[in-house]
Structure formats: structure tokens, C-alpha cells
Amino acid sequence: MARADRPALTPPAPDDPPGGAAARRAVEALWRIESARIVGALTRYTGDFDLAEDVAQEALAQALVAWARDGEPASPVGWLLNTARRRAIDHFRRRAALDDRYAALAGGLGEGGASSGAEPPADRSDDPPWDPDRIEDDVLALIFVACHPVLSPEARTALTLRVVAGLSSEEIARAFLVPVPTVQARITRAKKTIGAAGVPFELPPATERRERLGGVLSVLYVIFTEGSTATSGDRLLRPGLAYEAIRLARTLTALLPAEPEVFGQLALFELTAARFPARTGPDGEAVLLEDQDRRLWDRSAVRRGLAALTRATAAGRGLGPYGLQAAIAACHATAPSVSETAWDRIVLLYEALGRVAPSPVVELNRAVAVAMASGPQEALPLVDALAAAGRLSGSHLLPSVRGELLSRLGRTAEARAELELAARLCRNARERSVLLRKAATLG
């Protein structure tokens, strides 16, 4: 297994212990849910980001063997932390030059005893496996370290998905269409950069936290966006990625309750994910918004999203980029149908979004809203201007929108050509099939 990767579980071999398959499932589930807490706690105790990942991985490997033989322990997380910390202590013992650091580590953990993992739990399995007053700070610190501004945006995303979300290099590579060695190199360089820069494992000071929050939010946005509409492959959605981003966004709102844009992002994620159940058909085919059965939308997620949006607006600072996108998503989530959607309001919201976070995609989406509010004849010049500027060159989004507008204007041959171009540029098989189906209906 690669260092700190989620275990690459495989079907049990004929000579595996009887509990081998169950142990593999248990380790997989535990790492997926608790990896950030485990690595965060270990990093705080060892003071070494790289070592924390190493000993966590060693503990996972040992769990596969021990749990298959003895069964899953009563406190699986505590077992992993105890095992990993013993490995860390062994590591410090082997490094004579760090004897004083090991002594400080071992002595400092004495107060926590079994709960910290420095000593075996010995009939105290009900004790928390970490300090309950520190663990959420550990997770937040882990997020801020992984998203440190000394790293490139690509490295931040890769490192966050590895150490916070617990994804393997292979999973990250598949999600972002890059070779596995590229992902591994990014993660390795990111760790070395953090070490060379002397980045401490701690929350940044309050004065810096807000400045660095934008980087954290942008990483979560990239993760959620890839989960909500996969860049490539034969699946429209990658819900595991999207729900991981939602989980992290909820963590941020709990830990940074005074930051409205954190709530704005959570609202956007919840309201977008609420439509997941209706976005694909029984065979995984994409279902367009106008064809979706809104009864399938997750109304609990809608309520959570609207509540988060209320928190974002309550601060009175005005909505930021994520809050504005959430407000747009709220218009869709609360409308009975496409025709009854508040398209005029959506146009205004996109105009506001274009002022605070200008991008060609925002302009393209505004053109779509203009078409719905005022007709395709009003929107087509906006799309043509984007095409003339070459600002979305190589993207399937612009020709797909242009083809739809031309179709509504009765310019069938041009519309078909645009939709066929969009299909050639689209790397997601499900989206491509929708585009080809639309083109085919035009004769």
C-alpha cells in the first residue's frame, strides 16, 4: 500500500483468515470516516506531519491482520491510535538524536494515558480515543495545513483529498484526469514544501485565519464540483467526493461560526446535492433539469441549505461568491417547476456574482438565465461575445449552450453542428450522450 493511502482492499485469497473480508471492510469504512481525525491527532502528538501518515498507515496494515484474527475491537479508532502511537514511539527510540524529543512526547502523553495512546487502554475501552476538547481543532488545523498558501492550488487539492478526505492517489488521479505518478509527486512535493517552510501543525492566528480561509474554501469547492458533475468517465455524479466536501464544509461551519461565507458554501453544497436523486435515471443516464421529478429531491437537504443560507445573510456583510451561488441554487430548489422559477432574480444574482467573482463560466450561466427570463434572442449575443473572445475555447459548455439557443430560435442546422461539437469536446460519457441525443432530434 502507498503511504497514507486508503487501504487498497482486494477480495480475500483462499488462504485468508475467515475474518479477512470483514476486517478489510471495517478498516476501509473506518479510514474513510475517521482518517482526518486520526492523522490530525497523530500529527499533533508527534509534531511531524509525514511521520503521522506513516504510522497511521502501519497501524492500518496491522489492523488488517489483527482484526481478521481476533475480530474488530470494541474501540476501533482507539485501537488504531494506540497502535500508531506505539509505532511513533518506536520510531523516536530508533532515532537516538531525537531522544529528548521522544522523552517529551512520552512524558507529555502521560496525562492522557490510554486516551492518548501512549499506554495500552487496559480495560478502559469506553474512554475517548483522543482529547475531546482538541480533536475538532486537530481536524481544522489539518485542513489549514493541507491548504497552506505556500502550496500550489493543485497541490492543496491533492493533499486535502489525501490527508483530510482519506482518498488514495489512484482515486485522486481518476477524479482529476491526471496520471497517478503526477498525483503522488504533487503530494510528496507538498509535504516537503510544508516541512521546508516550517509550517506548524496548528490553527493559524485569528488575524491570518480569514485571509487563508479563501484557499480552504476553494479546495472544497473543487472537490464538490468534481463530485457533482464528473469531468470524465461513464458516471455523471461522483457522490462520494461531493458528500466528503459537504462533511468538511459542515466541520468548518461548526468551527468557524462567525464566517458567513463558510455557511454560504455549505448552503450551495446542500442545495446542489439535494437534486442528486433526480439527476440520473435508472441506468445512470443524465436527466436534465426540466425533466427531473422534483418529488425525488432531498427536501431535508433543501431545508439544511436554506438554513445555512440564512446564517450566511444574517451577518449583514452581503453575500460572497459562494453565498450568491447558494442564493441561485435556492431559487431552483424552491421553484415548483422550470417555468415557475424566478429567472429574473437569477439574472440579477449572476450579475452580482460576475462583479465579485468574474469568470467566463459565470457569464455563460448568466446568458442561460437571460434566455429563460427574456428569450433566446436576448441571450445569443452574450454567448457569441464569449465565443468571439475565445474565453471558453476547448470547453463543451459554450457550444452546448449556443446549440440550445440556436435550436430554440429555429436555426436547426447550426444548432445541430454546435451540439455535435459540444459532444466531441465533452469527456463525460453521460453528458455526451445527452448532447448527441439532442443533436439527433434536430434531424
Side-chain angles (χ1 to χ4, degrees):
M1 290 182 289
R3 281 178 19 177
D5 273 6
R6 179 186 294 176
L9 303 183
T10 57
D15 57 350
D16 270 2
R24 289 164 187 262
R25 288 193 298 270
V27 171
E28 162 85 8
L30 183 66
W31 185 248
R32 183 175 61 249
I33 296 169
E34 302 288 5
S35 58
R37 292 174 177 245
I38 291 170
V39 175
L42 291 170
T43 303
R44 171 160 57 90
Y45 286 127
T46 63
D48 188 323
F49 187 79
D50 224 15
L51 176 61
E53 288 197 289
D54 282 345
V55 296
Q57 185 65 20
E58 292 172 11
L60 288 172
Q62 188 170 338
L64 288 172
V65 176
W67 296 6
R69 182 188 62 235
D70 305 325
E72 185 177 341
S75 176
V77 173
W79 190 99
L80 283 175
L81 284 174
N82 289 332
T83 301
R85 291 186 179 115
R86 284 195 293 270
R87 294 297 183 99
I89 290 171
D90 290 342
H91 172 85
F92 284 121
R93 281 177 175 150
R94 290 192 300 267
R95 294 170 56 183
L98 295 178
D99 276 349
D100 55 341
R101 188 175 177 189
Y102 160 68
L105 172 71
L109 292 178
E111 180 181 345
S115 67
S116 72
E119 305 164 7
D123 298 326
R124 297 178 64 188
S125 58
D126 292 335
D127 284 1
W130 42 53
D131 180 351
D133 295 326
R134 291 292 302 277
I135 186 57
E136 297 300 350
D137 283 353
D138 287 343
V139 175
L140 187 57
L142 191 62
I143 295 173
F144 272 93
V145 169
C147 298
H148 196 279
V150 298
L151 303 177
S152 69
E154 296 81 7
R156 293 178 203 169
T157 300
L159 193 60
T160 301
L161 286 172
R162 167 65 66 80
V163 302
V164 182
L167 300 185
S168 69
S169 296
E170 290 76 11
E171 289 171 310
I172 300 169
R174 284 198 302 271
F176 294 101
L177 303 175
V178 294
V180 172
T182 300
V183 170
Q184 293 172 333
R186 286 177 183 172
I187 292 170
T188 299
R189 283 197 300 270
K191 293 176 186 176
K192 289 181 178 177
T193 300
I194 286 173
V199 176
F201 182 78
E202 62 185 18
L203 287 175
T207 55
E208 298 178 16
R209 201 172 302 172
R210 192 172 183 187
E211 296 174 7
R212 288 170 53 181
L213 180 60
V216 174
L217 295 177
S218 66
V219 167
L220 298 189
Y221 184 73
V222 168
I223 296 171
F224 181 83
T225 300
E226 177 61 28
S228 64
T229 304
T231 308
S232 70
D234 58 0
R235 290 188 294 166
L236 181 67
L237 305 175
R238 289 179 59 86
L241 278 179
Y243 291 130
E244 183 59 34
I246 291 174
R247 184 182 71 82
L248 295 174
R250 288 173 182 161
T251 300
L252 283 180
T253 61
L255 302 173
L256 299 173
E259 294 293 341
E261 191 66 339
V262 172
F263 285 94
Q265 185 176 78
L266 177 60
L268 172 62
F269 291 176
E270 293 278 18
L271 292 168
T272 303
R275 303 201 297 268
F276 282 3
R279 285 188 59 199
T280 55
D283 296 327
E285 69 275 13
V287 179
L288 299 176
L289 180 63
E290 58 265 29
D291 299 324
Q292 289 175 16
D293 183 351
R294 298 187 177 218
R295 293 171 299 179
L296 298 177
W297 288 3
D298 184 345
R299 293 298 165 185
S300 295
V302 171
R303 287 192 292 272
R304 291 194 299 269
L306 294 176
L309 183 57
T310 299
R311 288 288 299 271
T313 57
R317 303 182 201 170
L319 292 174
Y322 300 111
L324 287 168
Q325 291 178 75
I328 293 168
C331 291
H332 292 294
T334 56
S337 66
V338 169
S339 61
E340 297 173 274
T341 301
W343 291 108
D344 289 332
R345 173 170 169 75
I346 291 177
V347 170
L348 295 176
L349 288 169
Y350 271 122
E351 289 175 354
L353 181 60
R355 289 193 293 270
V356 300
S359 80
V361 173
V362 170
E363 293 180 35
L364 184 63
N365 284 329
R366 182 172 75 88
V368 172
V370 168
M372 298 302 296
S374 305
Q377 69 281 353
E378 300 292 331
L380 186 58
L382 303 175
V383 177
D384 286 343
L386 282 172
R391 299 182 63 194
L392 283 170
S393 178
S395 170
H396 73 285
L397 297 175
L398 192 146
S400 66
V401 171
R402 193 167 188 273
E404 182 66 29
L405 296 178
L406 290 169
S407 175
R408 291 176 59 185
L409 288 169
R411 295 161 60 176
T412 305
E414 294 172 86
R416 183 173 62 252
E418 289 289 323
L419 292 171
E420 289 173 348
L421 171 60
R424 289 195 298 272
L425 294 173
C426 183
R427 293 179 292 182
N428 183 282
R430 298 298 183 177
E431 284 190 290
R432 188 185 309 118
S433 66
V434 171
L435 293 167
L436 291 173
R437 187 165 62 247
K438 280 187 175 183
T441 62
L442 297 176

